[in-house]
Amino acid sequence: MSEQVIGGKSFTAVAINCAAKAGEWIKTKLGNHTSLSLKYSAQDLVTEVDKGAEAMIRNLVMTHFPHHSFLGEEGVQPGPEASDRALQSVRDAEYLWIVDPLDGTTNFVHSFPFFSVSIALAHRGEVIVGVVYDPIRDELFVAEKGKGAYVRGRRMNVSQEEALRDSLIATGFPADQTFALPLNMKGLQALVPQVRNVRSGGSAALHLAYVAAGRLSGFWEIGLNAWDIAAGSLLIEESGGRVTDVKGSPYDLGVRHVAASNGRIHDEFLNALQQAESNS
Ligand code: IPD
Ligand code: CA
Ligand code: CA
């Protein structure tokens, strides 16, 4: 891994500071956001709080690291093609911050207390810092490449389940109703009878953090973006788990159809998705 501190400022400390500040501010806005608009579809929401949180994070990052690149959800046009283009234009940057300022906007809008701030730093395409913050529970999940992953200061480990039948799996219901949602529903239909149960809390980043913490055995979703997955992917890898696309290719920043698990169930998990033809 390359040097983590420049001029005394630790990348991880800045990531944590950004996530904590944005998360605390988001919490003060719960139940009193003032603007709600639609983006890519009727299910794809954005508020002034998403935009304000991203501006706050971007300003902080740029103050500390003015030469770094920044990819934030709210700075990108809605929809999968625009997201792909935005990623391609920066993915090989020396240092790239990848930010979802509010993952779980639908929950935030409905005061359903399950959402997060997700911040990753990639060095030449490889995630080296990942932070996911849940402001409601005041839980900060943090990982540094090669140094492990922690929540509330305790080292995280993925869960022990060896088989799908003993597993608690999570997924999401993608806002893209033409491509991603139908595929995801095929996977859901196939997996429910094969696993202990399925959860869908509405924040992909937080679900990934829960896989890292051993609270979920696995998570998959079709049609996510780099900012939903990047931080969580490092949390899981540093907790002993496995992250691939739904066909089994290793994780990289371009993965949109993600399967993440404790590693032990991974092959069976991928097989089940493949059998259901839900891996596109
Ligand atoms: C969404 C959440 C949700 C997932 C969607 C994402 P957003 O992110 O992670 O759980 O199912 O696919 O778009 O829009 O709340 O940042
Ligand atoms: Ca998101
Ligand atoms: Ca978001």
Coordinates of all heavy atoms in Angstrom, one line a residue, residues 37-111:
S37 N -37.0 15.4 -4.8 CA -37.2 15.3 -6.2 C -36.9 13.9 -6.7 O -36.2 13.1 -6.0 CB -36.5 16.3 -7.0 OG -35.4 16.8 -6.4
L38 N -37.3 13.6 -7.9 CA -37.0 12.3 -8.5 C -35.8 12.4 -9.4 O -35.6 13.4 -10.1 CB -38.3 11.8 -9.3 CG -39.6 11.7 -8.6 CD1 -40.7 11.2 -9.5 CD2 -39.4 10.8 -7.4
K39 N -35.1 11.3 -9.5 CA -33.9 11.3 -10.4 C -34.2 10.4 -11.6 O -34.9 10.7 -12.5 CB -32.7 10.9 -9.7 CG -32.3 11.9 -8.6 CD -30.8 11.9 -8.3 CE -30.3 10.6 -7.6 NZ -28.9 10.7 -7.2
Y40 N -33.7 9.1 -11.6 CA -33.7 8.2 -12.7 C -35.1 7.6 -12.9 O -35.6 7.3 -14.0 CB -32.7 7.2 -12.5 CG -32.5 6.2 -13.7 CD1 -32.1 6.7 -14.9 CD2 -32.8 4.9 -13.6 CE1 -31.9 5.8 -16.0 CE2 -32.6 4.0 -14.6 CZ -32.2 4.5 -15.8 OH -32.0 3.6 -16.9
S41 N -35.8 7.4 -11.8 CA -37.1 6.8 -11.9 C -38.0 7.3 -10.7 O -37.5 8.0 -9.8 CB -37.0 5.2 -11.8 OG -36.7 4.8 -10.5
A42 N -39.2 6.8 -10.7 CA -40.1 7.3 -9.6 C -39.6 6.7 -8.2 O -40.1 7.2 -7.2 CB -41.5 6.8 -9.9
Q43 N -38.7 5.7 -8.3 CA -38.2 5.2 -7.0 C -36.8 5.8 -6.6 O -36.3 5.4 -5.6 CB -38.0 3.6 -7.2 CG -39.3 2.9 -7.0 CD -40.2 3.0 -8.2 OE1 -39.8 3.2 -9.3 NE2 -41.5 2.8 -8.0
D44 N -36.3 6.6 -7.5 CA -34.9 7.2 -7.3 C -35.1 8.6 -6.7 O -35.3 9.5 -7.5 CB -34.2 7.1 -8.6 CG -32.7 7.3 -8.4 OD1 -32.2 7.4 -7.3 OD2 -32.0 7.5 -9.5
L45 N -34.9 8.7 -5.4 CA -35.2 10.0 -4.7 C -33.9 10.8 -4.4 O -32.8 10.2 -4.2 CB -35.9 9.8 -3.4 CG -37.1 8.8 -3.5 CD1 -37.8 8.7 -2.1 CD2 -38.2 9.4 -4.5
V46 N -34.1 12.1 -4.3 CA -33.0 12.9 -3.8 C -33.5 14.1 -3.1 O -34.6 14.6 -3.4 CB -32.0 13.4 -5.0 CG1 -32.7 14.3 -6.0 CG2 -30.7 14.0 -4.4
T47 N -32.9 14.5 -2.0 CA -33.3 15.7 -1.2 C -32.1 16.7 -1.2 O -31.0 16.4 -1.5 CB -33.7 15.3 0.2 OG1 -32.4 14.9 0.9 CG2 -34.6 14.1 0.2
E48 N -32.4 17.8 -0.6 CA -31.4 18.8 -0.4 C -30.3 18.3 0.6 O -29.2 18.8 0.7 CB -31.9 20.2 0.0 CG -32.2 20.4 1.5 CD -33.5 19.7 2.0 OE1 -34.2 19.0 1.2 OE2 -33.9 19.9 3.2
V49 N -30.7 17.3 1.4 CA -29.8 16.8 2.4 C -28.7 15.9 1.8 O -27.6 16.0 2.1 CB -30.6 16.0 3.5 CG1 -29.7 15.4 4.5 CG2 -31.6 16.9 4.2
D50 N -29.1 15.1 0.8 CA -28.1 14.3 0.0 C -27.1 15.3 -0.6 O -25.9 15.1 -0.5 CB -28.8 13.6 -1.2 CG -29.9 12.6 -0.8 OD1 -30.9 13.1 -0.3 OD2 -29.7 11.4 -1.0
K51 N -27.6 16.4 -1.2 CA -26.7 17.3 -1.9 C -25.8 18.1 -0.9 O -24.6 18.3 -1.1 CB -27.5 18.3 -2.7 CG -28.2 17.6 -3.9 CD -29.1 18.5 -4.6 CE -29.9 17.8 -5.7 NZ -31.0 18.5 -6.2
G52 N -26.4 18.5 0.2 CA -25.7 19.2 1.3 C -24.6 18.4 1.9 O -23.5 18.8 2.1
A53 N -24.9 17.1 2.1 CA -23.9 16.2 2.8 C -22.8 16.0 1.8 O -21.6 15.9 2.2 CB -24.6 14.9 3.1
E54 N -23.1 15.8 0.5 CA -22.0 15.6 -0.4 C -21.1 16.8 -0.5 O -19.9 16.7 -0.6 CB -22.5 15.2 -1.8 CG -21.3 15.0 -2.8 CD -21.7 14.2 -4.0 OE1 -22.4 13.1 -3.8 OE2 -21.3 14.5 -5.1
A55 N -21.7 18.0 -0.5 CA -20.9 19.3 -0.6 C -20.0 19.4 0.6 O -18.8 19.7 0.5 CB -21.8 20.5 -0.7
M56 N -20.5 19.0 1.8 CA -19.8 19.1 3.0 C -18.5 18.1 2.9 O -17.4 18.5 3.3 CB -20.7 18.6 4.2 CG -20.2 18.7 5.5 SD -21.4 18.0 6.7 CE -22.6 19.3 6.7
I57 N -18.8 16.9 2.4 CA -17.7 15.9 2.3 C -16.7 16.4 1.3 O -15.5 16.3 1.5 CB -18.3 14.5 2.0 CG1 -19.1 14.0 3.1 CG2 -17.1 13.5 1.7 CD1 -20.0 12.8 2.8
R58 N -17.2 16.8 0.2 CA -16.3 17.2 -0.9 C -15.4 18.4 -0.4 O -14.2 18.4 -0.6 CB -17.1 17.7 -2.1 CG -16.2 18.1 -3.3 CD -17.1 18.7 -4.4 NE -17.8 17.8 -5.2 CZ -17.4 17.3 -6.4 NH1 -16.2 17.7 -6.9 NH2 -18.1 16.4 -7.1
N59 N -16.0 19.4 0.3 CA -15.2 20.5 0.7 C -14.1 20.1 1.7 O -13.0 20.5 1.6 CB -16.1 21.5 1.4 CG -16.9 22.3 0.4 OD1 -16.5 22.3 -0.8 ND2 -18.0 22.9 0.8
L60 N -14.5 19.2 2.6 CA -13.5 18.7 3.6 C -12.3 17.9 2.9 O -11.2 18.2 3.2 CB -14.2 17.8 4.6 CG -14.6 18.4 5.9 CD1 -15.5 17.5 6.7 CD2 -13.3 18.6 6.8
V61 N -12.7 17.0 2.0 CA -11.7 16.3 1.3 C -10.8 17.2 0.5 O -9.5 17.1 0.6 CB -12.3 15.2 0.4 CG1 -11.3 14.6 -0.6 CG2 -13.0 14.1 1.2
M62 N -11.4 18.1 -0.2 CA -10.6 19.0 -1.1 C -9.7 20.0 -0.2 O -8.6 20.4 -0.7 CB -11.5 19.8 -2.0 CG -12.0 18.9 -3.1 SD -10.7 18.1 -4.0 CE -11.3 16.6 -4.5
T63 N -10.1 20.3 0.9 CA -9.3 21.2 1.8 C -8.0 20.4 2.2 O -6.9 21.0 2.2 CB -10.1 21.5 3.1 OG1 -11.3 22.2 2.7 CG2 -9.3 22.4 4.0
H64 N -8.2 19.1 2.5 CA -7.0 18.4 3.0 C -6.2 17.9 1.8 O -5.0 17.8 1.9 CB -7.5 17.1 3.8 CG -8.0 17.5 5.1 ND1 -7.1 17.9 6.1 CD2 -9.2 17.5 5.7 CE1 -7.8 18.2 7.2 NE2 -9.1 17.9 7.0
F65 N -6.9 17.5 0.7 CA -6.2 16.8 -0.4 C -6.6 17.4 -1.7 O -7.3 16.8 -2.5 CB -6.5 15.3 -0.4 CG -6.2 14.6 0.9 CD1 -7.2 14.1 1.6 CD2 -4.9 14.6 1.4 CE1 -6.9 13.5 2.9 CE2 -4.6 14.0 2.6 CZ -5.6 13.4 3.3
P66 N -6.2 18.7 -2.0 CA -6.7 19.4 -3.2 C -6.4 18.7 -4.5 O -7.0 19.0 -5.5 CB -6.0 20.8 -3.1 CG -4.9 20.6 -2.1 CD -5.3 19.5 -1.2
H67 N -5.4 17.8 -4.6 CA -5.0 17.2 -5.8 C -5.7 15.9 -6.0 O -5.5 15.2 -7.1 CB -3.5 17.1 -6.0 CG -2.8 18.4 -5.8 ND1 -3.1 19.5 -6.7 CD2 -1.9 18.9 -4.9 CE1 -2.4 20.5 -6.3 NE2 -1.7 20.2 -5.2
H68 N -6.5 15.4 -5.1 CA -7.2 14.2 -5.3 C -8.4 14.3 -6.1 O -8.9 15.4 -6.3 CB -7.6 13.6 -3.9 CG -6.5 13.1 -3.0 ND1 -6.7 12.4 -1.9 CD2 -5.1 13.2 -3.2 CE1 -5.5 12.0 -1.4 NE2 -4.5 12.5 -2.2
S69 N -8.8 13.2 -6.7 CA -10.0 13.2 -7.5 C -11.2 12.8 -6.6 O -11.1 12.1 -5.6 CB -9.9 12.2 -8.7 OG -8.8 12.6 -9.5
F70 N -12.4 13.1 -7.1 CA -13.6 12.9 -6.3 C -14.8 12.5 -7.2 O -15.1 13.1 -8.2 CB -14.0 14.3 -5.6 CG -15.0 14.2 -4.6 CD1 -14.7 14.1 -3.2 CD2 -16.4 14.2 -4.9 CE1 -15.6 14.0 -2.2 CE2 -17.3 14.1 -3.9 CZ -17.0 14.0 -2.6
L71 N -15.4 11.3 -6.8 CA -16.6 10.8 -7.5 C -17.7 10.7 -6.4 O -17.6 9.8 -5.6 CB -16.3 9.4 -8.1 CG -17.4 8.7 -8.8 CD1 -17.9 9.5 -10.0 CD2 -17.1 7.3 -9.1
G72 N -18.6 11.6 -6.5 CA -19.8 11.6 -5.6 C -21.1 11.4 -6.3 O -21.2 11.9 -7.4
E73 N -22.0 10.7 -5.7 CA -23.2 10.4 -6.4 C -23.9 11.6 -6.9 O -24.4 11.7 -8.0 CB -24.2 9.6 -5.5 CG -25.5 9.3 -6.2 CD -26.5 8.5 -5.3 OE1 -26.3 8.3 -4.1 OE2 -27.4 8.0 -5.9
E74 N -24.0 12.7 -6.1 CA -24.8 13.8 -6.5 C -24.1 14.7 -7.5 O -24.7 15.7 -8.0 CB -25.1 14.6 -5.2 CG -25.8 13.8 -4.1 CD -27.0 13.0 -4.7 OE1 -27.6 13.3 -5.7 OE2 -27.2 11.9 -4.0
G75 N -22.8 14.4 -7.8 CA -22.1 15.1 -8.9 C -22.2 14.5 -10.2 O -21.6 14.9 -11.2
V76 N -23.0 13.4 -10.3 CA -23.1 12.6 -11.5 C -24.6 12.6 -12.0 O -25.5 12.6 -11.2 CB -22.7 11.2 -11.2 CG1 -22.9 10.2 -12.4 CG2 -21.2 11.1 -10.8
Q77 N -24.8 12.7 -13.3 CA -26.1 12.6 -13.9 C -26.7 11.2 -13.5 O -26.0 10.2 -13.4 CB -26.1 12.7 -15.4 CG -25.7 14.0 -16.0 CD -26.6 15.1 -15.6 OE1 -27.8 15.0 -15.7 NE2 -26.1 16.2 -15.0
P78 N -28.1 11.2 -13.3 CA -28.7 9.9 -12.9 C -28.6 8.9 -14.0 O -28.5 9.2 -15.2 CB -30.2 10.3 -12.7 CG -30.2 11.8 -12.5 CD -29.0 12.3 -13.3
G79 N -28.7 7.6 -13.6 CA -28.8 6.5 -14.5 C -27.5 5.8 -14.7 O -26.4 6.3 -14.5
P80 N -27.6 4.5 -15.0 CA -26.4 3.6 -15.1 C -25.3 4.0 -16.1 O -24.1 4.0 -15.8 CB -26.9 2.2 -15.5 CG -28.4 2.4 -15.7 CD -28.8 3.7 -15.2
E81 N -25.8 4.5 -17.3 CA -24.8 4.9 -18.3 C -23.9 6.1 -17.8 O -22.7 6.1 -18.0 CB -25.4 5.2 -19.7 CG -26.0 4.0 -20.4 CD -27.4 3.7 -19.8 OE1 -28.0 4.5 -19.1 OE2 -27.9 2.5 -20.0
A82 N -24.6 7.1 -17.3 CA -23.9 8.3 -16.8 C -23.0 7.9 -15.7 O -21.8 8.4 -15.6 CB -24.9 9.4 -16.4
S83 N -23.4 7.0 -14.8 CA -22.5 6.6 -13.7 C -21.3 5.9 -14.2 O -20.2 6.1 -13.7 CB -23.3 5.6 -12.8 OG -24.4 6.1 -12.3
D84 N -21.5 5.0 -15.2 CA -20.3 4.3 -15.8 C -19.3 5.3 -16.4 O -18.1 5.2 -16.2 CB -20.8 3.3 -16.9 CG -21.2 2.0 -16.3 OD1 -20.9 1.7 -15.1 OD2 -22.0 1.2 -17.0
R85 N -19.9 6.2 -17.2 CA -19.0 7.2 -17.8 C -18.2 8.0 -16.7 O -17.0 8.2 -16.9 CB -19.8 8.2 -18.7 CG -20.2 7.7 -20.0 CD -20.6 8.8 -21.0 NE -21.7 9.6 -20.5 CZ -23.0 9.3 -20.6 NH1 -23.3 8.2 -21.3 NH2 -23.9 10.0 -20.1
A86 N -18.9 8.4 -15.7 CA -18.3 9.2 -14.7 C -17.2 8.4 -14.0 O -16.1 8.9 -13.8 CB -19.3 9.7 -13.6
L87 N -17.4 7.1 -13.8 CA -16.4 6.3 -13.2 C -15.2 6.2 -14.1 O -14.0 6.3 -13.7 CB -16.9 4.9 -12.8 CG -15.9 3.9 -12.2 CD1 -15.3 4.5 -10.9 CD2 -16.5 2.6 -12.0
Q88 N -15.5 5.9 -15.4 CA -14.4 5.7 -16.3 C -13.5 6.9 -16.4 O -12.3 6.7 -16.6 CB -14.9 5.4 -17.7 CG -15.6 4.0 -17.9 CD -14.9 2.9 -17.2 OE1 -13.7 2.8 -17.2 NE2 -15.7 1.9 -16.6
S89 N -14.0 8.1 -16.3 CA -13.2 9.3 -16.4 C -12.3 9.5 -15.3 O -11.3 10.3 -15.4 CB -14.1 10.5 -16.6 OG -14.8 10.8 -15.4
V90 N -12.5 8.8 -14.1 CA -11.6 9.0 -13.0 C -11.0 7.7 -12.4 O -10.2 7.8 -11.5 CB -12.3 9.8 -11.8 CG1 -12.5 11.2 -12.2 CG2 -13.6 9.1 -11.5
R91 N -11.4 6.6 -12.9 CA -11.1 5.4 -12.2 C -9.6 5.1 -12.0 O -9.2 4.4 -11.1 CB -11.8 4.1 -12.7 CG -11.3 3.6 -14.0 CD -12.2 2.4 -14.4 NE -11.9 1.2 -13.6 CZ -12.7 0.1 -13.6 NH1 -13.8 0.0 -14.4 NH2 -12.4 -1.0 -12.9
D92 N -8.7 5.6 -12.9 CA -7.3 5.4 -12.8 C -6.6 6.5 -12.1 O -5.3 6.5 -12.1 CB -6.7 5.1 -14.2 CG -7.3 3.9 -14.8 OD1 -7.5 2.9 -14.0 OD2 -7.5 3.9 -16.0
A93 N -7.3 7.4 -11.5 CA -6.7 8.5 -10.8 C -5.7 8.0 -9.7 O -6.0 6.9 -9.2 CB -7.8 9.4 -10.1
E94 N -4.7 8.8 -9.4 CA -3.8 8.3 -8.3 C -4.6 8.1 -7.0 O -4.6 7.1 -6.4 CB -2.7 9.3 -8.1 CG -1.7 8.8 -7.1 CD -0.5 9.7 -6.9 OE1 -0.6 10.9 -7.3 OE2 0.5 9.2 -6.3
Y95 N -5.3 9.1 -6.6 CA -6.2 9.0 -5.4 C -7.6 9.4 -5.8 O -7.8 10.6 -6.3 CB -5.6 9.9 -4.3 CG -4.4 9.3 -3.7 CD1 -3.2 9.8 -3.9 CD2 -4.5 8.2 -2.8 CE1 -2.0 9.3 -3.4 CE2 -3.3 7.6 -2.3 CZ -2.1 8.2 -2.6 OH -1.0 7.7 -2.0
L96 N -8.5 8.6 -5.6 CA -9.9 8.9 -5.9 C -10.8 8.6 -4.7 O -10.9 7.5 -4.2 CB -10.4 7.9 -7.1 CG -11.9 8.0 -7.4 CD1 -12.3 9.4 -7.9 CD2 -12.2 6.9 -8.5
W97 N -11.6 9.6 -4.3 CA -12.5 9.5 -3.2 C -13.9 9.2 -3.8 O -14.3 9.8 -4.8 CB -12.6 10.8 -2.4 CG -11.4 11.1 -1.6 CD1 -10.2 11.6 -2.1 CD2 -11.2 10.8 -0.2 NE1 -9.3 11.7 -1.1 CE2 -9.8 11.2 0.0 CE3 -11.9 10.3 0.8 CZ2 -9.3 11.1 1.3 CZ3 -11.4 10.2 2.1 CH2 -10.1 10.6 2.3
I98 N -14.5 8.1 -3.3 CA -15.8 7.6 -3.9 C -16.8 7.7 -2.8 O -16.7 7.0 -1.8 CB -15.6 6.2 -4.4 CG1 -14.4 6.1 -5.4 CG2 -16.9 5.7 -5.0 CD1 -14.0 4.7 -5.6
V99 N -17.8 8.5 -3.0 CA -18.7 9.0 -1.9 C -20.2 8.8 -2.2 O -20.7 9.3 -3.2 CB -18.4 10.4 -1.6 CG1 -19.4 11.0 -0.5 CG2 -17.0 10.6 -1.0
D100 N -20.9 8.1 -1.4 CA -22.3 8.2 -1.3 C -22.7 8.9 -0.1 O -22.6 8.4 1.0 CB -23.0 6.8 -1.4 CG -24.5 6.9 -1.6 OD1 -25.1 7.9 -1.3 OD2 -25.1 5.9 -2.0
P101 N -23.1 10.2 -0.2 CA -23.3 11.0 1.0 C -24.5 10.5 1.9 O -24.5 10.8 3.1 CB -23.6 12.4 0.4 CG -24.2 12.1 -0.9 CD -23.5 10.9 -1.4
L102 N -25.4 9.9 1.2 CA -26.6 9.4 2.0 C -27.1 8.1 1.2 O -27.7 8.2 0.2 CB -27.7 10.5 2.1 CG -29.1 10.1 2.7 CD1 -29.0 9.3 3.9 CD2 -29.8 11.4 3.0
D103 N -26.7 7.0 1.8 CA -27.2 5.7 1.1 C -28.4 5.2 1.9 O -28.3 4.8 3.1 CB -26.0 4.7 1.2 CG -26.4 3.4 0.4 OD1 -26.8 3.6 -0.8 OD2 -26.4 2.3 1.0
G104 N -29.5 5.2 1.2 CA -30.8 4.9 1.9 C -31.7 6.2 1.9 O -32.3 6.4 2.9
T105 N -31.7 6.9 0.9 CA -32.5 8.2 0.8 C -34.0 7.9 1.1 O -34.6 8.6 1.8 CB -32.3 8.9 -0.5 OG1 -30.9 9.2 -0.6 CG2 -33.1 10.2 -0.6
T106 N -34.5 6.8 0.5 CA -35.9 6.5 0.7 C -36.2 6.3 2.2 O -37.2 6.8 2.7 CB -36.3 5.2 -0.1 OG1 -35.9 5.4 -1.5 CG2 -37.7 4.9 0.0
N107 N -35.3 5.6 2.9 CA -35.5 5.5 4.3 C -35.4 6.8 5.0 O -36.3 7.1 5.9 CB -34.4 4.6 4.9 CG -34.6 3.1 4.5 OD1 -35.7 2.7 4.1 ND2 -33.6 2.3 4.7
F108 N -34.5 7.6 4.7 CA -34.3 8.9 5.3 C -35.6 9.7 5.1 O -36.1 10.3 6.0 CB -33.1 9.7 4.6 CG -33.0 11.1 5.1 CD1 -32.5 11.4 6.3 CD2 -33.4 12.1 4.2 CE1 -32.4 12.8 6.7 CE2 -33.3 13.4 4.6 CZ -32.8 13.8 5.8
V109 N -36.2 9.7 3.9 CA -37.4 10.5 3.5 C -38.6 10.0 4.4 O -39.4 10.8 4.8 CB -37.7 10.4 2.0 CG1 -39.1 10.8 1.7 CG2 -36.7 11.2 1.2
H110 N -38.6 8.7 4.7 CA -39.7 8.1 5.5 C -39.4 8.0 7.0 O -40.1 7.4 7.7 CB -40.1 6.8 4.9 CG -40.8 6.8 3.6 ND1 -42.1 6.8 3.4 CD2 -40.3 7.0 2.3 CE1 -42.5 7.0 2.2 NE2 -41.3 7.1 1.4
S111 N -38.3 8.6 7.4 CA -37.8 8.5 8.8 C -37.7 7.0 9.2 O -37.9 6.7 10.4 CB -38.8 9.2 9.7 OG -38.7 10.6 9.5

